[in-house]
Amino acid sequence: MHQAGHESTQDVVVELQDAVLTITLNRPAKKNALTDAMYGTLADAIGRADSDAAVRVVLLRAEGDLFSAGNDLADFSRLAEQIAGSTADQANTELAVAATTESAEPAGPSGPASGITGQMNVWRFLHALAACTTPIVAAVQGKAVGVGTTMLLHADYVVLAEGAQLITPFVDLALVPEAASTLLLPQRIGHVRAFAMFALAEPLAAEDAVATGLANRVVPAEALQDTARQVAAALAAKPAGSLTATKRLMRDAEALGPVIDREVAVFTERLAGPEAREAFAAFAERRSPDFSPFS
Ligand code: COA
């Protein structure tokens, strides 16, 4: 078994066997909520899939009762504090510079907030995913929340277990969608359905995900992993050059990077705002958020 360069951690297990690189989200006690460290492992694994000729297919799966609860909300909360602190420091520095120089430079388009987020592994992961030319098969059980769903928009074959639900509660968290989903989701399922998913957190049931073109098939839960493995094995037996060339032709990968960056800029702004902090506090305290004090 070729393992060189494919690093596993406890929370993300990466295994290469028979030309299939299996990436397993393995943090079931926290519903596979994704931390910055996990995004780092994911980014490396996806990035290396393309550069390692021994990898012909990526299989994305998860341990536990649900695929992923999305981004770790404690991480979001910490990041929000960090951005707020950094923005205050930057504002003080700009005031000091303006006071001591004759003509202070106007602030550039990439402020301190986008600087912090730009260094985070999540954005490295999203760019790697959007650029990936190796076919990606995904096996999804239970809920796929937030980035748990938006990452599926970059998969090429999606198998859902019966009862699976795709949920994108970005507005409920006072955030905006990411992973180029503002482009890809309306493109795939139409504006009004995408809007309802983003703005009202309307879950998309497994059968509807297949009907609207977000997934290939729904299978009984006990058949999920075998089905996904069989699809991955079938793809691994195809001529790899044709496969990646087909994927390349089917996707305008170059258009996705700028969309991801635009989303990141707005996402970062929202993340540091008071409404998002209220949403994260409400989750931690297991209560409903109250957005009424904010205009
Ligand atoms: N970030 C951090 N921790 C999370 C998490 C997240 N996104 N989702 C779940 N967890 C943690 C819970 O805090 C809990 O931890 P604890 O046992 O230490 O208290 C544990 O995972 C189990 O979660 P719980 O809510 O009890 O499981 P559930 O099966 O009742 O519900 C979810 C599962 C996914 C529906 C629910 O946890 C949820 O809504 N999570 C938030 C999803 C979200 O908004 N993600 C961000 C999208 S952008």
Side-chain angles (χ1 to χ4, degrees), residues 34-284:
L34 296 162
T35 61
D36 188 59
M38 290 168 76
Y39 285 122
T41 312
L42 288 166
D44 291 345
I46 300 278
R48 285 184 196 145
D50 272 355
S51 56
D52 184 348
V55 178
R56 286 168 168 249
V57 182
V58 171
L59 172 57
L60 201 48
R61 60 179 293 279
E63 285 297 325
D65 62 349
L66 62 79
F67 182 71
S68 174
N71 204 100
D72 188 291
L73 291 174
D75 260 20
F76 266 169
S77 198
R78 272 191 295 274
L79 181 63
E81 298 300 329
Q82 203 184 336
I83 292 169
S86 157
T87 306
D89 285 352
Q90 175 76 7
N92 288 338
T93 309
E94 279 168 9
L95 281 175
V97 169
T100 54
T101 58
E102 285 190 1
S103 63
E105 287 289 314
S110 55
S114 59
I116 286 177
T117 343
Q119 290 158 22
M120 292 195 65
N121 284 321
V122 59
W123 312 123
R124 204 160 63 76
F125 165 60
L126 296 179
H127 277 282
L129 199 56
C132 182
T133 57
T134 306
I136 301 174
V137 177
V140 178
Q141 74 277 24
K143 292 184 168 70
V145 188
V147 72
T149 283
T150 57
M151 74 168 80
L152 300 176
L153 297 170
H154 300 272
D156 304 290
Y157 197 106
V158 179
V159 187
L160 302 177
E162 279 169 0
Q165 285 187 323
L166 308 184
I167 311 168
T168 50
F170 293 104
V171 170
D172 281 357
L173 291 166
L175 298 171
V176 293
E178 29 62 329
S181 62
T182 54
L183 174 75
L184 294 174
L185 194 62
Q187 224 172 46
R188 303 271 285 277
I189 69 172
H191 175 87
V192 292
R193 273 191 290 235
F195 185 79
M197 286 185 71
F198 288 147
L200 294 171
E202 274 188 9
L204 193 69
E207 291 71 16
D208 295 333
V210 171
T212 51
L214 287 184
N216 296 76
R217 49 209 277 213
V218 183
V219 298
E222 58 276 15
L224 177 70
Q225 303 302 334
D226 279 351
T227 306
R229 264 193 290 271
Q230 281 160 17
V231 173
L235 289 169
K238 302 289 179 193
S242 298
L243 208 51
T244 52
T246 299
K247 177 166 175 173
R248 232 186 241 120
L249 288 165
M250 287 174 71
R251 284 167 58 86
D252 188 3
E254 278 177 20
L256 299 178
V259 178
I260 291 172
D261 292 340
R262 270 204 305 279
E263 291 168 346
V264 167
V266 183
F267 192 101
T268 307
E269 224 173 82
R270 304 304 312 168
L271 187 67
E275 290 158 307
R277 292 202 219 180
E278 163 61 9
F280 306 148
F283 177 75

